[in-house]
Amino acid sequence: MATLPQIAVLGAGIFVKTQYIPRLAEISHLFCLKYIWSRSEESSRRAVEIAKQHFPGVECKWGDQGLNDIMQDSSLIGTAVVLAGQVQVDISLKLLKAGKHVIQEKPAATSIPEIETALASYKSVSTNPGQPIWAVAENYRFEPAFVESKKLVAGVGDMMNVQVIIEGSMNSSNPYFSSSWRRNFEGGFILDMGVHFIAGLRMIVGCEVTSVSAITSHIDRTLPPPDIISSNFKLENGCSGVFVMVVSSSSPKIIWRVVGSKGTVQVKRGKVDGKHGYLVSLYSADGQCKSTFHPFCGVHEELKIFIHDIVKANLKQGNGYEAEPRSSFVEGARDVAVLEAMLESGSKGGTLVNVKKF
């Protein structure tokens, strides 16, 4: 029987304890979770206590020495970096330079300059055989709802207009409301939440956003500015659209809608039979509507594919193995670039801004 690949999780916050550990437990037959690292011993031990229910052998690591131990452990081939947005890229690059494969939580980075520096650093790492994989955990690209809707959009004729409407629920009852890192840089909640919705947009339309013109505002003073963004955008296929995001509203709603010359495709987040997911609807030219509900499963899928990729990459030993493109750091960077352009336009009163290409 083949030895299972060993991985480490770096981070011990809410998302690790409530999402990563349960989702990793669902695929525990594919790998061995060896370590959970945090900056402090206390937070690492709390996360390990939860993880031990599924991974009895998992160990605590913390601080600089713990990070160094992980980088030097030759038995460890993969890592999941689930940390504050401001430090993720730096930690990921250290692990990559140590030869570890990395799946890093979104956002890919917190600014365009950070993306450019990161890509240059990664390029220097990846010149040697056996280049490590750098994936970004953007689960929307792995949700079956978006995979299906992309196929449906191809059948509704010429694309006429695209609408993305986000009315979020980031209030004091949300576990991430008090998150300090999301409050410590401009557009923190817009960027952290918004990359999901931009990823969904790019997935559905199958092409890139080239330019934007946005107005931003700040209404909810319990949130950092801006908390509202309204943007026109243009796609590379010439189609125009609107992206509206309210970080916290009293009536949460999330919708993507593509209007074509022969029909319309809509993806709406919702709940059916107690399960959260997406309702994908196809409105045809004859007035008929066909809908399919897809429960959430993107986090499960992206983690399973990452494990598959790192095993295959190790077997290939650098001989041309290409990881799942939907997970690539560049894809995550492109999501950030669209939002960065919108935030820049908003800060300049709606000036047209071209989206940085990666």
Side-chain angles (χ1 to χ4, degrees), residues 309-335:
D309 279 347
I310 65 176
V311 170
K312 292 291 186 183
N314 266 36
L315 290 174
K316 287 274 188 176
Q317 296 183 337
N319 296 321
Y321 180 76
E322 293 186 11
E324 167 61 59
R326 287 177 292 173
S327 297
S328 70
F329 180 84
V330 170
E331 281 297 313
R334 289 168 181 158
D335 297 333

Side-chain angles (χ1 to χ4, degrees), residues 180-217:
S180 59
W181 75 261
R182 293 171 176 85
R183 293 175 174 272
N184 289 339
F185 67 96
E186 185 177 356
F189 280 110
I190 291 280
L191 187 62
D192 180 55
M193 295 165 62
V195 287
H196 280 317
F197 312 126
I198 295 298
L201 165 65
R202 293 178 53 239
M203 182 79 176
I204 293 170
V205 299
C207 63
E208 298 300 330
V209 179
T210 57
S211 60
V212 302
S213 174
I215 299 296
T216 54
S217 55

Side-chain angles (χ1 to χ4, degrees), residues 143-157:
E143 294 289 353
F146 293 99
V147 175
E148 181 194 356
S149 59
K150 180 178 181 179
K151 295 175 183 176
L152 293 175
V153 164
V156 295

Side-chain angles (χ1 to χ4, degrees), residues 141-262:
R141 275 188 271 274
F142 293 88
E143 294 289 353
F146 293 99
V147 175
E148 181 194 356
S149 59
K150 180 178 181 179
K151 295 175 183 176
L152 293 175
V153 164
V156 295
D158 295 329
M159 198 178 294
M160 300 168 68
N161 187 255
V162 182
Q163 303 145 35
V164 183
I165 311 296
I166 310 299
E167 297 173 15
S169 57
M170 187 53 66
N171 53 44
S172 58
S173 65
N174 190 299
Y176 302 104
F177 178 78
S178 299
S179 166
S180 59
W181 75 261
R182 293 171 176 85
R183 293 175 174 272
N184 289 339
F185 67 96
E186 185 177 356
F189 280 110
I190 291 280
L191 187 62
D192 180 55
M193 295 165 62
V195 287
H196 280 317
F197 312 126
I198 295 298
L201 165 65
R202 293 178 53 239
M203 182 79 176
I204 293 170
V205 299
C207 63
E208 298 300 330
V209 179
T210 57
S211 60
V212 302
S213 174
I215 299 296
T216 54
S217 55
H218 188 207
I219 301 298
D220 188 339
R221 298 294 166 172
T222 67
L223 294 166
D227 66 322
I228 300 169
I229 189 164
S230 300
S231 178
N232 291 319
F233 61 82
K234 183 179 181 181
L235 300 175
E236 62 185 353
N237 64 6
C239 183
S240 65
V242 293
F243 177 91
V244 178
M245 182 175 173
V246 179
V247 173
S248 183
S249 72
S250 58
S251 55
K253 179 172 64 178
I254 303 176
I255 292 175
W256 295 258
R257 189 174 173 92
V258 178
V259 181
S261 59
K262 298 178 181 178

